[in-house]
Amino acid sequence: MRETVMLDWRVPEREWQTFRDHVESEFGSIDGYLGREAERAMRAYADADGYDAVEQKIDRLVEAAGRRPGAASKEKNSSLADQPRTRVTARVDEAVKDEFRAVAAEDDDPFGVVFARAIREHREGGRADRLERKLDRVIDDAEAMLSELDESDSEGGLGKVDRNVITICQRLNRQFTDDELNSEIHDVAGRGQRASEPTLERYRELVIERLGVEPHPNASHVWLPEDEAAGLVPDGTPEECRKPVDHLDRDARARRIKLALGRRAANRSTGKVTARRPSIQEDILEDVPAKSTVLDLMEEVALADGFSIDRSRDKAALRVDLRAVGDADPDLFETIIDYRDAETDSLLGDTTETTVSDYTASTESTVSPDTASDRMDQLTESMTDGGGPSREQSEDGDRDV
């Protein structure tokens, strides 16, 4: 019979509750499963599951194909450290606990916070899911390379452009600048000469896609892996809102508008807000697209339930009703609420003073609303506790920003 010991740590409350819900959803009960899954999470985090050597070999294969393997999720997460904590007890294998503590001791955060990172990674698929994603990235390449060796199937092999792209990817560091990327393209695709602008642009797109990189959130000329970029902004910040606007396609720009307006509406007791075209162009879209393009995007956004456009005034304006958004698109609603909770500056200035605080209390509730309207009711109640806004403020709760 194996030796088990009691785990007794103070763990970020929200992450622990999410993990409990995940275990119950997966197995129908937490009894007999919660401790086992916690132990599996600790074992994988401490590289004690026997697959660390396998992952290292797969990483070598991915890198040889000119791709980035992606890092395990052991980087610090400020939102976990900042969460209120709750006491957690569970029985786990004694050796696993010792191995986990040895790894966690190298971290500045308490054991409970490191444990929260481990169960989050496990909940999101863990090492098995990560290995599968890495292999998916090189299977097509391997098949193409092998078929290239088969003269009877030479058409299926890698072409010159593909081979050049792999060479460029292998030369670049994990993080690189625009100048470094352009220099490698000139050297490989231009054979030491300057590549033409169309060639440069074509290779840039292919290399960026292959490496799975994106601009640094605070320095758009620097490229880094997507997981690292996501780790530089608070949890809950959507991809469309962390990337520079000039790196977003049309659909992503339209979604960025929805998220920014929705986030602003989530700060209002009415759940409604209106923003005029200049504010959307300057504050949300960073003055990148032209006025005509912004108007087209506003028209597109207005086609979605919960959003409407008003052209009756001097300047076109978009209006959002967050309750209607939630009823029509619960996933978008939840993304907006997560973005609302993220500790980052709003893309729209808070130009309207309110008498209420953030609705943080509603996110700590253990009640799971059945509909977005119920969630909106919770939001409204938490924002109006202590007296709520005056009648004048309530009537003007969706004024322009």
Side-chain angles (χ1 to χ4, degrees):
M1 185 174 181
R2 68 177 188 147
E3 294 292 330
T4 61
V5 293
M6 183 65 72
L7 181 154
D8 188 355
W9 291 327
R10 294 192 64 79
V11 178
E13 184 175 9
R14 193 185 308 171
E15 185 58 41
W16 176 246
Q17 184 60 48
T18 302
F19 182 68
R20 286 173 59 93
D21 293 343
H22 167 75
V23 172
E24 185 170 15
S25 174
E26 286 289 309
F27 302 101
S29 171
I30 61 173
D31 295 336
Y33 295 100
L34 191 60
R36 186 192 72 177
E37 292 303 300
E39 180 181 306
R40 290 180 62 190
M42 295 166 66
R43 190 188 298 273
Y45 191 89
D47 291 331
D49 56 0
Y51 286 95
D52 186 44
V54 174
E55 184 162 17
Q56 290 182 27
K57 291 178 180 178
I58 291 177
D59 285 349
R60 288 174 56 192
L61 180 62
V62 173
E63 290 171 349
R67 297 186 184 274
R68 295 290 187 266
S73 302
K74 293 186 181 180
E75 61 270 9
K76 291 186 179 181
N77 189 306
S78 59
S79 67
L80 288 177
D82 294 339
Q83 283 184 27
R85 299 175 199 171
T86 186
R87 183 182 180 186
V88 168
T89 58
R91 298 201 70 86
V92 298
D93 184 272
E94 183 175 12
V96 172
K97 182 179 179 181
D98 289 343
E99 291 174 323
F100 180 83
R101 284 173 62 93
V103 172
E106 300 174 2
D107 200 295
D108 294 334
D109 286 328
F111 289 140
V113 174
V114 181
F115 173 72
R117 291 207 295 271
I119 60 176
R120 170 178 287 186
E121 181 179 349
H122 182 68
R123 174 172 57 82
E124 293 176 347
R127 191 195 294 272
D129 185 67
R130 191 167 67 245
L131 292 179
E132 184 175 0
R133 291 198 307 270
K134 290 178 179 181
L135 285 172
D136 283 343
R137 303 188 70 187
V138 295
I139 285 177
D140 290 342
D141 290 338
E143 291 176 344
M145 290 176 182
L146 290 173
S147 66
E148 189 177 45
L149 299 178
D150 185 353
E151 294 181 357
S152 65
D153 190 23
S154 58
E155 292 183 359
L158 292 175
K160 178 181 178 181
V161 172
D162 296 318
R163 293 194 297 272
N164 284 346
V165 169
I166 291 175
T167 299
I168 294 168
C169 291
Q170 290 173 333
R171 290 186 176 191
L172 292 168
N173 294 323
R174 187 173 184 82
Q175 296 184 18
F176 54 88
T177 65
D178 276 330
D179 288 344
E180 290 169 339
L181 173 57
N182 292 342
S183 176
E184 294 297 346
I185 295 173
H186 289 313
D187 190 47
V188 175
R191 297 185 178 182
Q193 306 297 319
R194 288 190 61 83
S196 66
E197 282 302 319
T199 298
L200 191 66
E201 187 60 31
R202 180 187 184 192
Y203 273 94
R204 282 177 60 88
E205 292 178 359
L206 292 172
V207 169
I208 288 167
E209 180 181 1
R210 186 175 190 84
L211 290 178
V213 293
E214 66 179 63
H216 191 292
N218 301 317
S220 60
H221 68 289
V222 176
W223 296 86
L224 70 167
E226 293 171 353
D227 56 345
E228 293 183 16
L232 294 174
V233 296
D235 264 5
T237 304
E239 177 183 355
E240 297 87 353
C241 298
R242 75 168 184 258
K243 287 184 176 180
V245 174
D246 55 358
H247 291 281
L248 299 177
D249 61 20
R250 182 182 179 87
D251 289 342
R253 291 179 181 185
R255 184 171 172 83
R256 182 184 177 106
I257 294 173
K258 293 178 182 179
L259 293 167
L261 289 179
R263 186 187 194 209
R264 185 66 188 88
N267 279 307
R268 302 291 182 86
S269 59
T270 61
K272 300 176 182 178
V273 75
T274 301
R276 295 186 178 182
R277 192 274 309 164
S279 179
I280 293 174
Q281 182 167 355
E282 296 169 13
D283 299 330
I284 300 179
L285 298 178
E286 301 172 350
D287 245 346
V288 172
K291 175 181 176 180
S292 59
T293 302
V294 175
L295 290 171
D296 287 343
L297 287 170
M298 292 171 65
E299 294 281 5
E300 182 176 328
V301 170
L303 296 175
D305 290 333
F307 295 88
S308 58
I309 191 167
D310 182 1
R311 286 188 171 277
S312 63
R313 292 178 285 184
D314 293 338
K315 297 176 181 177
L318 267 178
R319 188 169 187 265
V320 59
D321 181 339
L322 194 56
R323 186 187 299 273
V325 171
D327 288 339
D329 191 343
D331 289 340
L332 176 60
F333 178 87
E334 291 297 333
T335 301
I336 288 171
I337 298 307
D338 288 342
Y339 185 30
R340 162 64 181 78
D341 289 341
E343 297 176 1
T344 184
D345 293 336
S346 173
L347 294 177
L348 279 175
D350 191 357
T351 58
T352 302
E353 184 176 344
T354 63
T355 62
V356 293
S357 61
D358 294 345
Y359 83 105
T360 306
S362 69
T363 64
E364 299 296 332
S365 172
T366 58
V367 178
S368 298
D370 293 331
T371 67
S373 291
D374 294 337
R375 182 76 179 274
M376 190 67 207
D377 288 339
Q378 280 192 351
L379 182 152
T380 303
E381 289 171 6
S382 64
M383 292 181 69
T384 56
D385 282 347
S390 66
R391 179 180 182 84
E392 179 182 356
Q393 288 170 319
S394 296
E395 292 174 349
D396 197 26
D398 62 339
R399 70 179 72 173
D400 294 345
V401 293

